[in-house]
Amino acid sequence: MNKKVLLTGAFGNIGSLAIRELLSQGYSVVAFDKDGPITRKNAKSFADTGITIVWGDITVRQDIESALQGVDAVIHLAGIIPPLSESHPALCNAVNVEGTRYIIETMEKSSSLKRLVFASSIAVYGNQQWRNTPPLKASTPVSPDDTYGKSKADCEAMLQSSSLDWSIMRIAACPPVNIRNMDSFKGNPVFEFHPDSRLEVIHPADAALAFVNAVSCNEAIGKILLLGGGAGNQLTYQQQFSSMLTAIGQNPLPREVFQMKEPIEFYGDWIDTEESQRLLQFQRHSVQQQHQDFWHSFGFVRYILLLFKPLAPLVSWAIKQSSPYYQNKIIRKAEVQP
């Protein structure tokens, strides 16, 4: 009989890809998510796959207990991320911490359901990058600076003190490759980061593969594993932003549009993925492939946008003008002119 896996956050950025990976590896899937326009739309693509869809709220213990009935393992992806986690800290705690607590406590009552693969984040290392010497390792002390990072650190502590067969997966930067999944990223202050901030990018399909492979990897039990794209996906914030713009037919941006405050404050850093890659064999996509996948998700709109490609300099100008740092630089130049 095939193993049945409960996947929380099933119709999100990583979750939708994890469903396909679970099915391709022969698992039965129980997809748990909160009902809403975007999750409903994403769920439609799985109408004929045979998965069981459970709509529920992770902050309601009864919903969790019901969803866990009859499953053999859990991949727990559901959570509130920035900027929503920072503007609504009580909601972040209810979803990220208390929701995870309900899962752990319910699983501990079971005599057979013990395998839990948990989605954490490199946000547990904090955002004061100037303190770091890359690469970060699983053994690097955690020091979260915001609500989101603290919520993930609290969940890690709960798991480590539990009786479950847990694996903690700290995910690096994982931008969506489907434009439909950009909703949860709205409001991120794109110009508020130093252009030289170090970040490591992972394709959500690679993250999904890592989570699914971890379910049956006994050597991953009791380990904290770092999920990033590897050395080829280690870049600066400006490089990442410029590469994404280039992929959708726009011009790269100058350094002057970004916040230049020192010392550099940014989530995490480049990370050491040697052990996680050895165990889970998940690194398949480059940054460039990730951006191309995002571009293709625009569908027929791509062809309309290509018609306006000659206007790329104008679009670039408009983006630059939307940065308060670029505007202030222009003002300062005007002030010093005779």
Side-chain angles (χ1 to χ4, degrees), residues 23-221:
L23 292 173
S24 73
Q25 294 193 26
Y27 290 100
S28 296
V29 179
V30 178
F32 180 89
D33 214 327
K34 192 169 185 178
D35 197 358
I38 294 174
T39 51
R40 279 279 176 182
K41 191 170 185 178
N42 287 344
K44 285 182 179 178
S45 62
F46 298 98
D48 299 320
T49 62
I51 70 170
T52 300
I53 298 177
V54 178
W55 300 111
D57 189 334
I58 200 169
T59 66
V60 178
R61 187 186 290 268
Q62 291 85 349
D63 288 356
I64 293 298
E65 291 174 345
S66 177
L68 287 169
Q69 293 298 313
V71 303
D72 302 297
V74 178
I75 297 176
H76 180 26
L77 299 176
I80 299 293
I81 64 174
L84 184 60
S85 59
E86 308 314 299
S87 60
H88 294 78
L91 177 63
C92 177
N93 184 73
V95 173
N96 292 9
V97 180
E98 294 308 311
T100 301
R101 188 190 310 279
Y102 295 159
I103 291 175
I104 292 172
E105 290 177 350
T106 304
M107 290 180 67
E108 286 190 311
K109 293 176 184 176
S110 170
S111 60
S112 58
L113 178 55
K114 298 299 180 184
R115 187 71 180 110
L116 175 59
V117 184
F118 173 71
S120 187
S121 167
I122 59 168
V124 299
Y125 295 115
N127 62 7
Q128 298 181 48
Q129 196 170 97
W130 56 270
R131 300 179 304 195
N132 302 336
T133 299
L136 297 177
K137 299 177 181 293
S139 59
T140 302
V142 301
S143 183
D145 298 300
D146 64 359
T147 302
Y148 176 65
K150 290 173 183 175
S151 74
K152 289 299 184 179
D154 287 347
C155 290
E156 289 190 8
M158 284 192 293
L159 279 167
Q160 289 173 305
S161 63
S162 76
S163 62
L164 302 182
D165 294 333
W166 54 264
S167 294
I168 293 169
M169 318 283 264
R170 291 178 182 163
I171 311 171
C174 190
V177 292
N178 190 323
I179 194 170
R180 286 206 306 260
N181 293 328
M182 287 298 293
D183 186 69
S184 59
F185 288 79
K186 287 180 180 177
N188 273 310
V190 296
F191 299 117
E192 297 299 319
F193 305 114
H194 196 288
D196 296 332
S197 300
R198 298 183 297 268
L199 80 159
E200 183 162 337
V201 178
I202 181 171
H203 194 293
D206 291 354
L209 177 61
F211 275 93
V212 175
N213 286 350
V215 171
S216 60
C217 180
N218 290 333
E219 197 177 343
I221 294 174

Side-chain angles (χ1 to χ4, degrees), residues 191 193-197 236 238 242 252-260 262 264 320 323 325-326 329:
F191 299 117
F193 305 114
H194 196 288
D196 296 332
S197 300
T236 67
Q238 184 185 12
S242 295
L253 295 174
R255 293 171 59 83
E256 290 80 9
V257 303
F258 301 106
Q259 179 268 116
M260 304 285 284
E262 299 278 0
I264 294 176
K320 287 187 288 188
S323 166
Y325 304 105
Y326 188 74
K329 186 173 187 295

